[in-house]
Amino acid sequence: MKTHMMRRCLRHSKITKGQNLRRFILLLWSKEVWKLEIRELSISELEDAANLIRKVFLETEAMECQAKGVGFFLDSVKADSFLPLIREENYLLYGLFFDDGGLAGVLGARGNYLALLFVDQKHKGKGCGRELFDYYKKRIASGEEHYGRITTNSSIGAQNFYEKLGFKVAGEKVEIFGVPYIPMMMVI
């Protein structure tokens, strides 16, 4: 219903197909209009990003992991662990922000490998994950290096989401350090 309402409102607005809708996107939820911004995260925003990732992981994925896997993941997702990554030339770390300044989602990738994609549970199902992914996909497709595919290691619970984006299972379920995942790939 909301998606249909959003399409209808956008169709009757003054927004043309030629305009860049990725920087600021109109989303309609409960008859409210929200503006989103997707941009690279700054060093000062790394702690907020790490907190969002840990929170969503504990709410949605921790139950799939062994106890050692939960500890391993939480230890690996800290603000200071992102600092060396964002200094790498081919590592991308994006945040999705609402007009009130609140961080709603985080995407991290190294080249064509999608390393993480987390959206705050209160915004789940509103298209935030897809918007982050589409932004990343366009960025790497328009870059100097064209990889031809995107790979990721999906959590068990996120497999359906990735399949809706166009990913296909690329291997058997694997468990490393107590964290299970499914290798997936998308041809671009």
Side-chain angles (χ1 to χ4, degrees):
M1 175 74 175
K2 291 177 186 172
T3 304
H4 173 71
M5 183 188 317
M6 184 172 77
R7 285 186 192 137
R8 190 178 72 219
C9 289
L10 289 175
R11 193 172 33 244
H12 295 294
S13 70
K14 295 180 182 183
I15 296 172
T16 65
K17 288 183 181 179
Q19 291 177 315
N20 181 356
L21 299 179
R22 290 293 176 233
R23 286 297 280 160
F24 292 97
I25 303 155
L26 294 175
L27 293 178
L28 300 172
W29 298 312
S30 307
K31 298 184 182 178
E32 294 181 61
V33 177
W34 295 86
K35 283 191 232 176
L36 306 179
E37 179 184 14
I38 298 173
R39 60 177 165 76
E40 288 189 50
L41 291 170
S42 68
I43 291 173
S44 64
E45 295 167 327
L46 295 180
E47 189 64 42
D48 290 340
N51 288 339
L52 183 140
I53 292 166
R54 285 193 300 266
K55 176 181 174 255
V56 174
F57 173 81
L58 289 171
E59 292 171 349
T60 62
E61 298 178 23
M63 71 284 287
E64 300 169 0
C65 302
Q66 296 177 17
K68 70 178 181 177
V70 173
F72 171 77
F73 184 86
L74 294 176
D75 286 343
S76 68
V77 182
K78 295 182 179 172
D80 58 349
S81 66
F82 286 125
L83 198 52
L85 293 175
I86 64 171
R87 290 185 174 145
E88 290 180 24
E89 188 175 318
N90 66 340
Y91 195 85
L92 306 170
L93 191 61
Y94 296 119
L96 183 142
F97 296 85
F98 282 97
D99 56 353
D100 65 0
L103 180 64
V106 178
L107 180 145
R110 179 177 282 114
N112 70 326
Y113 175 67
L114 179 58
L116 57 92
L117 177 55
F118 288 87
V119 173
D120 192 318
Q121 284 297 98
K122 66 184 174 186
H123 300 297
K124 185 177 177 183
K126 297 178 181 177
C128 297
R130 177 175 290 278
E131 291 299 332
L132 269 168
F133 177 74
D134 287 347
Y135 187 85
Y136 158 70
K137 182 178 167 186
K138 283 184 180 182
R139 167 109 185 236
I140 66 165
S142 66
E144 290 179 17
E145 296 182 49
H146 183 68
Y147 298 101
R149 66 183 179 158
I150 299 171
T151 60
T152 194
N153 292 327
S154 171
S155 67
I156 307 306
Q159 180 180 351
N160 289 338
F161 168 75
Y162 285 110
E163 288 174 343
K164 287 178 184 176
L165 291 176
F167 281 84
K168 304 286 184 213
V169 173
E172 297 292 319
K173 176 181 155 185
V174 179
E175 188 172 299
I176 296 184
F177 301 115
V179 179
Y181 66 86
I182 300 167
M184 300 188 81
M185 182 184 75
M186 167 192 272
V187 176
I188 55 173

